[in-house]
Amino acid sequence: MTSTQVSTAEARDALIALKGEVGRAVVGNDAAVTGLILALLCRGHVLIEGVPGVGKTLLVRALASALNLETKRIQFTPDLMPGDVTGSIVYDAHSGEFSFREGPVFTNLLLADEINRTPPKTQSALLEAMEERQVSLDGRSRPLPDPFIVIATQNPVEYEGTYSLPEAQLDRFLLKLTMPAPSREDEVGILVRHAQGFDPRDLVAAGIRPVAGPEHLAAARLAVGAVNVRPEVIAYIVDICRATRSTPSIRIGVSPRGATALLAATRAWAWLAGRDYATPDDVKALARPALRHRLDLRPEAELEGATADGVLDRVLASVPVPR
């Protein structure tokens, strides 16, 4: 089935079913599941922050299974080299020729696990893949599959052995999602599933099945591109981003790339909600995940306990909302 044979309604129903299917494996993280679906609709990348053991890897594997897409995982470590990510030129002793051996970046959903445990040199190996969706090596550019998104997980920056991500790389993530420890009720639900035989390493046995595919994503992306955004709402997005650049507690505010990311995520959110137009409330709903990682707080503000989310809340409260 091609994207032209999938209606907008069918695509939306499939992606809503996708959310429910992933929720069968991942308990209590609906916001993170929705964020990944929005990223797929926008061809954007996602940074997920959370302590180990809250289900970040399981979330990505369940999403790939429910979408019938290929996924590969890279465990980022201090000794990981750029070629371990993108691939490298190797010599074949039998043929006497050099050939390119693809790295794990050649996939649909790339799970970059604990990305901030590797030095910036290796982190930056992903920049071309994330921005251009290709890998250039030995004078040749090799396109990546479509769809292709990077889903990077990171431990909180205060953890020992972590490196801060370069600002240029942070700005290329569409969204930054947080996965906190589950509530008591959700944690009880997780343990009940495990007691009943749930194995996170065998999603097929757990009953996770494909409910959507690339054709639904293609149709949905076309529909998202047609979502109407009034000039007043566009101006509202611009005013929010510009306000971050003049906020005293912020050293570096949101760039124009961040504004376009907020616009894209807003349109996808509106479409997923069943509308062909975006509202200021949609902008507010996506402001935190779309902008929090693009703010560089001043050291004195951080010492006083300021957080990116808290600063964004104050910015949203100060910018007039269009009627």
Side-chain angles (χ1 to χ4, degrees):
M1 181 182 288
T2 64
S3 60
T4 57
Q5 296 173 298
V6 176
S7 69
T8 297
E10 289 172 332
R12 184 183 291 111
D13 289 345
L15 292 180
I16 291 173
L18 171 67
K19 182 177 177 181
E21 194 70 13
V22 174
R24 296 177 60 188
V26 182
V27 177
N29 276 297
D30 288 348
V33 177
T34 301
L36 291 181
I37 294 174
L38 293 177
L40 283 164
L41 292 176
C42 299
R43 288 187 173 92
H45 310 289
V46 177
L47 182 63
I48 304 177
E49 184 174 275
V51 297
V54 293
K56 300 186 294 293
T57 302
L58 176 61
L59 170 61
V60 178
R61 292 181 58 245
L63 181 69
S65 294
L67 268 172
N68 199 24
L69 294 176
E70 182 186 44
T71 182
K72 293 179 182 177
R73 175 180 175 272
I74 306 174
Q75 179 63 52
F76 279 74
T77 57
D79 60 349
L80 193 74
M81 299 298 291
D84 297 329
V85 176
T86 59
S88 56
I89 303 296
V90 297
Y91 178 72
D92 188 336
H94 295 288
S95 65
E97 297 179 348
F98 289 92
S99 61
F100 176 68
R101 179 177 294 168
E102 292 185 349
V105 74
F106 286 85
T107 188
N108 296 123
L109 305 182
L110 177 66
L111 174 58
D113 212 359
E114 295 189 304
I115 191 174
N116 61 335
R117 287 204 182 276
T118 200
K121 179 180 178 180
T122 304
Q123 293 170 3
S124 64
L126 280 175
L127 283 177
E128 182 187 16
M130 293 172 70
E131 186 68 19
E132 307 295 337
R133 284 174 166 74
Q134 66 179 24
V135 169
S136 296
L137 195 65
D138 195 32
R140 282 189 54 195
S141 296
R142 297 168 173 85
L144 296 173
D146 184 32
F148 167 77
I149 69 169
V150 174
I151 304 170
T153 72
Q154 71 170 10
N155 296 311
V157 293
E158 63 270 14
Y159 265 51
E160 184 178 355
T162 60
Y163 300 82
S164 297
L165 296 180
E167 288 82 358
Q169 186 172 12
L170 279 173
D171 207 30
R172 283 169 171 80
F173 284 102
L174 177 78
L175 304 173
K176 178 183 177 182
L177 309 175
T178 58
M179 288 184 65
S183 66
R184 181 182 183 279
E185 181 181 354
D186 288 336
E187 195 164 359
V188 168
I190 292 170
L191 266 64
V192 167
R193 292 189 183 194
H194 280 261
Q196 294 173 345
F198 173 73
D199 183 356
R201 291 172 291 274
D202 189 355
L203 295 179
V204 175
I208 305 300
R209 59 187 179 86
V211 295
E215 67 278 7
H216 297 99
L217 282 178
R221 286 168 174 171
L222 288 175
V224 168
V227 170
N228 180 52
V229 186
R230 293 182 294 126
E232 308 92 276
V233 177
I234 291 177
Y236 182 51
I237 292 174
V238 170
D239 289 343
I240 290 171
C241 295
R242 290 181 66 85
T244 66
R245 301 170 203 163
S246 58
T247 299
S249 56
I250 299 176
R251 189 172 68 89
I252 300 176
V254 177
S255 69
R257 182 189 282 125
T260 60
L262 179 53
L263 172 62
T266 296
R267 298 174 86 178
W269 175 275
W271 179 83
L272 204 57
R275 288 180 277 108
D276 61 358
Y277 61 92
T279 69
D281 285 341
D282 298 329
V283 176
K284 288 183 177 180
L286 273 299
R288 274 189 172 195
L291 304 181
R292 57 165 57 113
H293 54 299
R294 306 175 197 273
L295 302 180
D296 186 0
L297 299 183
R298 295 186 183 277
E300 56 269 27
E302 291 183 299
L303 287 173
E304 293 172 359
T307 64
D309 283 359
V311 172
L312 282 172
D313 287 344
R314 291 195 293 273
V315 167
L316 289 171
S318 68
V319 176
V321 181
R323 299 297 179 187

